Amino acid sequence: MALKLGDLAPSFVAETTQGEIDFHKYIDGSWAILFSHPNDFTPVCTTELGAVGKFMPEFEKRGVKVLALSCNDVESHKAWIKDIESFTPEAQVSYPIISDPKRDLAVQFGMLDPDEQDAAGIPLTARAVYVFGPDKKLKLSILYPATTGRNFHEVLRVIDSLQLTANHSVATPVNWNAGDKCMVVPGLSNEAAAAKFPKGFETIEVPSGKQYIRLTPQPNI
Amino acid sequence: MALKLGDLAPSFVAETTQGEIDFHKYIDGSWAILFSHPNDFTPVCTTELGAVGKFMPEFEKRGVKVLALSCNDVESHKAWIKDIESFTPEAQVSYPIISDPKRDLAVQFGMLDPDEQDAAGIPLTARAVYVFGPDKKLKLSILYPATTGRNFHEVLRVIDSLQLTANHSVATPVNWNAGDKCMVVPGLSNEAAAAKFPKGFETIEVPSGKQYIRLTPQPNI
């Protein structure tokens, strides 16, 4: 069963490449991403964990803790890290990789892909990404199959949106990128919006005559 | 409970802006995306359904059927379409929008967002995207909260990957875009790969000495 938005992150202790980690203690008070990959020593996963390694300064800048996970054992992960850092020379795999050989976490988080199996015919993890807020609740998830490498530019984009919208009364429109205009949330009156956004806001006229499309410059820059 | 990869799309008949639609008949033999939005006449949703309307030629080119869904009624959807097409003048909302006032489908597909509620305190749908293959099975999903508009460039990117990798023995690396190099899948021997990819493939040396990173030009162009 997959996690739903708003679900509290399951609490667990896991073996990782950086020793035993208690997930709730690890993410306490921070944003966090937990992402799974199908298998060590496979091509797409190598590019993905390299990209995350390369983007670590971006995750750190945003205060986001990062944890990877697959069903392989810790020794496999450690040997594979050398390949990852060789293939992506700008990458440092400074984040822990969880070992989940019995699929306890994969089942609990809904990460398994029935189409991808190990030599014994047991399902492997898909390419899941879970973003948790400082309240340890699920804010966003993506679930891609083994054939389709993720887009970590998109992961950074949504983290920017989640962090911005958690603290300001705006939402981010389709295809938004950091620095683009934002939408004033519907719950805020025009008077409250005028007080809250010193740069002002623009109301777009639409055929219904309803005044719900209100654009404002990104408030935290 | 959210859908998992490989799950068969639930069968349903729903009221839409284009009359009653039987989902399985509607998508039969095609790729399909079903995506939900929180509420008609709200700012981010207006930008999203406009973007999808603008991208319809791209979805049609890829043979992808498109269906939107929210808990609002059909009359609301129809009135709102005028606003959507006014805000995004290049958009034609030529795809049906499902009305799911009792949340039957929202619950069945795991689309609800506990943080977003209507005036009666009943949860609204989040920004879910489900991509189904011609076999009606779930290939990929994303689940974003109301505050964060989706990236439909990313949706097109993953459809390109899903369709390519379904028919060729390749997978697509991190941050891949159509036209970029692909990865030869691990299950294919070097001999079979040489026969299958007339443009050849390149094996990248890594510290483990394992020869699993094999790049090849995108095979279907």
Side-chain angles (χ1 to χ4, degrees):
Chain A
M1 172 163 160
L3 288 189
K4 298 190 307 299
L5 291 188
D7 283 353
L8 191 69
S11 173
F12 65 83
V13 175
E15 292 301 322
T16 83
T17 48
Q18 298 180 7
E20 203 173 78
I21 284 183
D22 179 317
F23 187 54
H24 276 203
K25 282 191 192 151
Y26 180 76
I27 69 174
D28 196 36
S30 288
W31 290 80
I33 73 166
L34 172 66
F35 72 107
S36 60
H37 67 272
N39 211 349
D40 294 355
F41 300 106
T42 57
V44 174
C45 304
T46 305
T47 65
E48 288 193 319
L49 275 82
V52 174
K54 195 171 135 184
F55 283 1
M56 278 309 286
E58 296 298 322
F59 289 113
E60 283 161 6
K61 201 191 297 176
R62 291 161 175 82
V64 179
K65 299 279 183 77
V66 175
L67 260 170
L69 180 153
S70 81
C71 304
N72 305 94
D73 64 33
V74 166
E75 290 318 302
S76 163
H77 289 337
K78 285 184 176 171
W80 181 44
I81 286 174
K82 297 190 182 77
D83 284 5
I84 297 169
E85 294 182 343
S86 163
F87 182 76
T88 304
E90 318 90 304
Q92 275 206 305
V93 182
S94 56
Y95 53 91
I97 309 176
I98 293 171
S99 167
D100 182 35
K102 293 184 180 164
R103 277 76 168 158
D104 296 331
L105 300 176
V107 169
Q108 205 172 1
F109 280 83
M111 291 169 163
L112 291 178
D113 181 349
D115 284 348
E116 294 294 318
Q117 304 180 349
D118 68 9
I122 300 171
L124 294 169
T125 38
R127 302 189 191 284
V129 180
Y130 298 110
V131 181
F132 296 100
D135 57 3
K136 302 189 190 73
K137 288 185 177 170
L138 183 70
K139 301 301 176 189
L140 179 150
S141 71
I142 73 170
L143 189 57
Y144 286 8
T147 50
T148 300
R150 283 159 287 197
N151 178 351
F152 283 95
H153 298 288
E154 174 64 7
V155 173
L156 287 175
R157 187 190 81 84
V158 296
I159 288 171
D160 284 340
S161 168
L162 291 170
Q163 294 187 334
L164 169 68
T165 61
N167 294 313
H168 300 271
S169 297
V170 292
T172 60
V174 70
N175 304 338
W176 176 87
N177 280 297
D180 291 349
K181 283 190 178 174
C182 301
M183 301 304 214
V184 177
V185 295
L188 207 67
S189 70
N190 279 340
E191 294 66 34
K196 196 166 181 86
F197 303 118
K199 294 173 200 158
F201 63 90
E202 176 193 8
T203 304
I204 308 293
E205 295 298 329
V206 282
S208 68
K210 300 184 184 190
Q211 304 209 321
Y212 59 96
I213 305 186
R214 296 176 297 174
L215 294 167
T216 190
Q218 184 176 324
N220 64 343
I221 51 174
Chain B
M1 173 166 158
L3 288 189
K4 298 190 306 300
L5 290 187
D7 283 354
L8 191 68
S11 173
F12 64 83
V13 175
E15 293 300 323
T16 83
T17 49
Q18 300 181 7
E20 203 172 80
I21 283 182
D22 178 315
F23 187 54
H24 275 203
K25 281 190 192 151
Y26 179 76
I27 69 173
D28 196 35
S30 288
W31 289 81
I33 72 166
L34 172 66
F35 72 106
S36 61
H37 67 272
N39 211 350
D40 295 354
F41 299 105
T42 57
V44 174
C45 303
T46 306
T47 65
E48 287 192 320
L49 275 82
V52 173
K54 195 170 134 185
F55 282 1
M56 278 310 286
E58 296 299 322
F59 288 115
E60 283 160 5
K61 201 190 297 174
R62 291 162 176 81
V64 179
K65 300 279 183 75
V66 174
L67 260 170
L69 179 152
S70 82
C71 304
N72 304 95
D73 63 33
V74 166
E75 290 318 302
S76 163
H77 289 335
K78 284 184 176 169
W80 181 44
I81 286 174
K82 297 190 181 76
D83 284 5
I84 298 170
E85 294 181 344
S86 163
F87 182 76
T88 304
E90 318 90 303
Q92 275 205 306
V93 182
S94 55
Y95 53 90
I97 309 176
I98 293 173
S99 167
D100 182 35
K102 293 184 180 163
R103 279 74 169 160
D104 296 330
L105 300 177
V107 169
Q108 206 171 359
F109 280 84
M111 291 169 163
L112 291 178
D113 181 351
D115 284 348
E116 293 295 317
Q117 304 180 349
D118 68 9
I122 299 171
L124 295 169
T125 38
R127 304 190 189 284
V129 180
Y130 298 110
V131 181
F132 296 100
D135 58 3
K136 302 190 190 71
K137 288 185 177 170
L138 183 70
K139 302 301 175 190
L140 180 149
S141 71
I142 73 171
L143 189 57
Y144 286 10
T147 51
T148 301
R150 283 160 286 198
N151 178 351
F152 284 95
H153 298 287
E154 174 64 5
V155 174
L156 286 175
R157 187 191 81 84
V158 296
I159 287 171
D160 284 340
S161 168
L162 291 170
Q163 294 187 333
L164 169 69
T165 60
N167 294 312
H168 299 271
S169 298
V170 292
T172 60
V174 70
N175 305 337
W176 176 88
N177 281 295
D180 291 349
K181 284 190 178 174
C182 300
M183 301 306 214
V184 177
V185 294
L188 207 67
S189 69
N190 279 341
E191 294 66 35
K196 197 166 180 88
F197 303 117
K199 294 173 201 157
F201 62 90
E202 177 194 7
T203 304
I204 308 293
E205 294 298 329
V206 282
S208 68
K210 299 183 184 192
Q211 303 210 321
Y212 59 96
I213 305 187
R214 297 176 296 173
L215 294 166
T216 189
Q218 185 176 326
N220 64 343
I221 53 174

